[in-house]
Amino acid sequence: MRVCFFVTCLADQFFAEAAADAVRLLRALGVEVSFPRAQTCCGQPAFNAGHWDEARRMAAHTQDVFAGCEYVVLPSGSCTTMLRAYTPRLFEGDRHRYDAALDLAGRSYELVEFLVRVLNTESVGRGLTGRRLAYHHGCHVSRELGIKEEPVRLLEAAGAKVVPWEADQECCGFGGVFSVKNAPVSLAMADRKLDTLPEVDALTSADGACLLHLAGRAKKRGLAVPVRHVASLLWEAHRGG
Amino acid sequence: MAAKGYKAAARRTLEHAPEVREAVTRATLHFDRNRERAYGEVEAEAWRDWAAATKRHTLSRLDRYLLEAERNLTAPGTEVHWAEDAKDAQRILQELVERYGVRRVVKGKSMLSEELGVNEHLERLGVEVFETDLGEYIIQLAGEPPSHIVGPAIHKGLEEIRALFHERLGTPPDASPETLAAVARRVLREAFLTADMGISGANFVVAETGTVVLVENEGNIRLTTSTPRVHVVFVGIEKLLPRARDLEVFLQLLARAATGQKIGTFVSLINGPRREGEPDGPEHLHVIFVDNGRTSVLADREMHEALSCIRCGACLNACPVYRQTGGHAYGQVYSGPIGIVLTPGLKDPRLAEDLGYACSLCTACADVCPVRIPLPKQILTWRVRSTKHAPATERLAFEGYAEVMTRPRFYRLSSKLLRLTAPLTGAPWLPVLGAWAAGHGALEPSPKSFREIWEEELDGA
């Protein structure tokens, strides 16, 4: 099976090792992975800020870059949502681009979703035995893509215990430009997540942006919260057995 | 003077009134969990589909249903009035106050009356007004507007209410909630028995039967609508249901969405004023249909679904942004997701520039809305419309960003620059990073970008 890896600009810059782990994991599972070099950003920040002309330019660029790929896999639920659910809305008035958006939407998968729903993976390995994890359900992953149980199942199949967390499904407060436009509210939302977080070995999620927000906030407050992208944990699960 | 708008008010609330966040979080999570359980007991998805379709249908034929409702309301002797805006509504109310020589009014909870400034107008006319819903009574004593559609005083904790009652009603400073409620009850009983006019909203008006439908838990609305000799109903033109049998689902769905109850404790179905031989009910019943911006929302191709709203408050309870500050920070009658969507349409599109960002686009509201209003989509639409007034710096930033992201070479160069200037505490060319760093500490890019790792290690491996 051949996959084009869409690292996404955020993971490229801030979760580079986790993104590399995603590639290593896919390859270990027998997937052929390529990296189209012209890729940049899916355009979601502009889309969410209402700057749709700019979002369209980036979305069109992304369509062109991934035009020939059988599957596109992203280590980011949020960017996958941009391709799956939002880009078509940008092109409602442009038949050619709209069709291309639906085409790409149907070929694009978030990493865990790809493992579970396309590769039918039930376990990537047992290398997380005894680990206590908190899983943050990113809004886009859980509500827009409907991926809720899959990451938890894979982590538990690896021997980890995903502990109950009363705020696990609540928004972390990042929200792209929201985090800068209404910083105090955005931070209060992160604080609610952190204040309810149980004692764990790591906080994980399928969305780097949420983790960046939560990790930054935790650090600023002097809280010791180890944050790991789910791709890194799953690679570790594989490598460790 | 304090800065205006949501942004400033939210900051002030979080800094100076942290107890609001605590009270609102507790109350809304409680409501939301009850809603979730109550949805789970029935075929909520199917009910929501049907309710949404029924409201959309009603709105598509609103002219016809309004005329049908007027006919059927008028038949048993109810007088129907039409108000285009708040001024119009106030004028009609003033005429009624003068016609019946009204000195004292009891009110049931009504968000529309907040929109219309009913209390302030009555006070200007020298009429004494009593809010009779306990939550509304509390905030009336405090001189505040409601902060939530269903729980107007949820932003107040017990201590604050104790202090307020102690100061205004002379209750002991450590009075129990039961004592506080009993004292309010005594004051309000007296008001019910001496008022000349009761004012209420309406949850629904059934076109087919001309029935005004009111849902409540305290019994105060039933007293408001049956004890004084005049009852005035303010109702938005969007609150119609075609048929009486539609109530079967709507009454249950409203209660489940709002509080997780199977049905409201009191449901009043009012068909006309008191008839010959009836022991109670008002001698005169007036229904005032109010537009106040609704027809412009109806005409808006991308916003009209918002008029399906049945004011259950479920989107407020589900909203993690609302939870941080409560409703007052929005500075409008309607807060939370539905407030963001409705307010610019009802009042002024430019309000969306500020309100549109009282949202992280988490989409939790869309999951709970009983009539499936596409709230996140509409909030984003307001943002899109607002960009034409966005500051030049913002427009420039997004243009530059698109330039970089559509030129892979520029992108790679930026990636290198990012590493050269790290740690990013606020490089002058990216002021946005400074704002980020204030709450999170400096942004720390990965030592190597993925692209570099790919080139050095993964490519061809």
Side-chain angles (χ1 to χ4, degrees):
Chain A
M1 189 167 303
R2 294 219 313 267
V3 155
C4 293
F5 190 63
F6 185 1
V7 64
T8 75
C9 60
L10 190 124
D12 190 11
Q13 305 305 329
F14 298 101
F15 287 91
E17 270 305 325
D21 288 342
V23 172
R24 294 175 185 123
L25 178 63
L26 287 167
R27 284 181 171 166
L29 296 173
V31 178
E32 202 179 304
V33 183
S34 66
F35 179 70
R37 305 292 275 275
Q39 62 176 278
T40 56
C41 167
C42 65
Q44 184 171 209
F47 176 79
N48 281 348
H51 292 273
W52 280 19
D53 286 338
E54 286 76 13
R56 270 183 209 105
R57 293 177 56 198
M58 290 181 261
H61 175 79
T62 299
Q63 284 181 354
D64 296 343
V65 169
F66 294 100
C69 302
E70 184 183 356
Y71 289 104
V72 179
V73 174
L74 305 85
S76 159
S78 189
C79 307
T80 309
T81 299
M82 179 66 189
L83 301 187
R84 184 86 56 79
Y86 298 160
T87 304
R89 280 168 62 192
L90 283 173
F91 294 117
E92 272 166 5
D94 177 342
R95 190 56 210 251
H96 168 71
R97 284 289 178 192
Y98 184 74
D99 283 349
L102 294 184
D103 168 38
L104 183 56
R107 292 183 280 122
S108 303
Y109 290 84
E110 184 276 327
L111 174 70
V112 174
E113 181 186 35
F114 183 78
L115 296 178
V116 173
R117 294 190 187 163
V118 180
L119 300 182
N120 296 316
T121 308
E122 282 167 21
S123 168
V124 295
R126 293 283 301 166
L128 300 176
T129 303
R131 215 75 74 77
R132 285 171 56 83
L133 304 173
Y135 179 78
H136 162 68
H137 290 268
C139 299
H140 286 151
V141 180
S142 66
R143 275 187 286 273
E144 297 280 28
L145 301 179
I147 306 166
K148 290 181 177 158
E149 293 314 311
E150 290 85 346
V152 176
R153 270 209 319 267
L154 279 188
L155 292 168
E156 298 214 312
K161 165 81 183 144
V162 176
V163 300
W165 176 15
E166 82 167 278
D168 63 352
Q169 309 213 8
E170 291 176 26
C171 177
C172 69
F174 174 63
V177 275
F178 170 75
S179 64
V180 179
K181 288 220 183 202
N182 278 310
V185 181
S186 166
L187 296 171
M189 289 163 74
D191 288 344
R192 151 94 186 149
K193 299 285 291 194
L194 295 170
D195 292 341
T196 53
L197 188 70
E199 187 77 24
V200 286
D201 298 314
L203 162 62
T204 188
S205 173
D207 253 314
C210 310
L211 291 177
L212 197 65
H213 179 59
L214 290 171
R217 185 58 183 163
K219 196 171 163 206
K220 180 84 184 176
R221 288 179 53 191
L223 304 172
V225 179
V227 167
R228 302 287 304 279
H229 193 288
V230 76
S232 288
L233 286 176
L234 292 177
W235 172 238
E236 200 178 321
H238 181 80
R239 243 181 354 171
Chain B
M1 202 182 91
K4 279 194 193 154
Y6 169 79
K7 188 177 171 159
R11 177 187 293 273
R12 274 199 303 275
T13 307
L14 285 165
E15 277 174 16
H16 303 300
E19 70 280 3
V20 170
R21 175 171 178 255
E22 201 178 315
V24 173
T25 297
R26 192 169 44 237
T28 52
L29 286 175
H30 176 74
F31 280 144
D32 191 53
R33 280 177 196 135
N34 285 346
R35 184 228 20 102
E36 192 174 6
R37 179 190 39 70
Y39 272 9
E41 293 164 357
V42 297
E43 306 240 1
E45 296 305 303
W47 287 19
R48 293 167 69 201
D49 286 341
W50 180 85
T54 302
K55 285 303 284 191
R56 307 293 192 275
H57 158 81
T58 312
L59 292 166
S60 76
R61 304 282 178 86
L62 194 56
D63 51 344
R64 200 185 82 187
Y65 285 122
L66 281 169
L67 292 174
E68 186 183 348
E70 181 182 41
R71 256 195 328 274
N72 294 322
L73 281 161
T74 312
T78 300
E79 219 175 294
V80 172
H81 311 258
W82 301 92
E84 198 175 329
D85 55 21
K87 275 218 150 40
D88 221 13
Q90 290 175 4
R91 178 187 54 76
I92 295 165
L93 179 62
Q94 185 165 346
E95 278 170 24
L96 296 175
V97 163
E98 285 161 8
R99 191 196 301 180
Y100 298 114
V102 173
R103 308 290 303 278
R104 184 173 259 205
V105 162
V106 282
K107 269 188 75 206
K109 188 174 156 29
S110 155
M111 293 304 286
L112 176 54
S113 77
E114 299 289 333
E115 250 182 82
L116 303 173
V118 164
N119 291 15
E120 297 77 1
H121 191 64
L122 287 170
E123 279 156 16
R124 277 197 294 274
L125 298 173
V127 177
E128 205 181 356
V129 187
F130 289 85
E131 289 289 352
T132 64
D133 172 278
L134 183 57
E136 288 280 351
Y137 180 65
I138 291 168
I139 57 170
Q140 188 186 24
L141 283 181
E144 295 174 15
S147 71
H148 185 283
I149 294 175
V150 171
I154 59 162
H155 59 288
K156 290 202 179 302
L158 177 58
E159 282 316 312
E160 215 185 330
I161 296 170
R162 268 191 183 129
L164 179 70
F165 273 50
H166 173 63
E167 186 198 320
R168 300 296 307 274
L169 303 171
T171 51
D174 59 347
S176 68
E178 291 74 16
T179 306
L180 298 175
V183 169
R185 191 188 180 89
R186 207 166 55 230
V187 175
L188 294 174
R189 281 283 151 159
E190 171 68 16
F192 283 126
L193 295 172
T194 53
D196 318 288
M197 177 186 275
I199 295 179
S200 74
N203 292 96
F204 308 101
V205 171
V206 179
E208 172 192 48
T209 54
T211 307
V212 174
V213 183
L214 285 153
V215 182
E216 54 162 332
N217 283 326
E218 296 176 15
N220 64 302
I221 290 186
R222 185 156 295 175
L223 282 166
T224 298
T225 59
S226 61
T227 315
R229 63 199 164 86
V230 185
H231 175 200
V232 175
V233 180
F234 283 103
V235 59
I237 53 172
E238 81 283 19
K239 289 289 188 81
L240 291 184
L241 285 178
R243 301 159 295 260
R245 67 169 178 273
D246 298 333
L247 289 172
E248 182 187 348
V249 166
F250 273 98
L251 285 174
Q252 297 184 68
L253 195 55
L254 171 61
R256 286 178 188 273
T259 55
Q261 292 168 277
K262 290 187 172 68
I263 195 163
T265 312
F266 295 82
V267 175
S268 300
L269 306 174
I270 298 171
N271 282 291
R274 183 197 299 197
R275 274 163 244 193
E276 282 284 314
E278 284 181 342
D280 53 20
E283 292 160 33
H284 308 280
L285 178 56
H286 295 265
V287 170
I288 306 175
F289 280 110
V290 181
D291 180 341
N292 207 32
R294 283 158 177 75
T295 44
S296 31
V297 178
L298 187 61
D300 188 330
R301 204 172 55 84
E302 296 173 297
M303 298 294 166
H304 67 96
E305 295 96 333
L307 286 184
S308 303
C309 177
I310 57 174
R311 305 288 189 270
C312 67
C315 63
L316 280 61
N317 300 330
C319 178
V321 173
Y322 176 88
R323 220 171 268 152
Q324 307 311 317
T325 65
H328 286 164
Y330 297 72
Q332 305 293 337
V333 171
Y334 302 106
S335 57
I338 188 65
I340 299 173
V341 171
L342 271 182
T343 307
L346 292 175
K347 287 175 73 178
D348 175 7
R350 302 246 2 215
L351 289 168
E353 292 161 31
D354 178 49
L355 289 175
Y357 280 93
C359 172
S360 65
L361 294 176
C362 83
T363 73
C365 51
D367 266 17
V368 302
C369 176
V371 289
R372 296 204 193 279
I373 299 169
L375 293 159
K377 196 174 171 181
Q378 292 176 325
I379 291 171
L380 183 52
T381 299
W382 279 121
R383 287 190 187 178
V384 173
R385 293 179 183 181
S386 296
T387 51
K388 64 171 177 284
H389 296 291
T393 45
E394 180 184 319
R395 272 179 292 152
L396 213 63
F398 276 100
E399 277 166 29
Y401 166 56
E403 284 299 314
V404 170
M405 293 302 181
T406 47
R407 287 178 173 73
R409 274 194 306 143
F410 282 18
Y411 174 75
R412 283 198 292 275
L413 185 67
S414 310
S415 173
K416 291 208 171 75
L417 276 174
L418 192 67
R419 270 158 198 81
L420 286 174
T421 51
L424 300 161
T425 44
W429 48 280
L430 274 180
V432 80
L433 292 175
W436 173 273
H440 301 83
L443 259 181
E444 289 169 38
S446 303
K448 285 181 186 172
S449 70
F450 171 81
R451 206 167 289 264
E452 291 170 87
I453 301 174
W454 176 271
E455 279 157 14
E456 292 168 13
E457 184 189 331
L458 298 170
D459 195 11

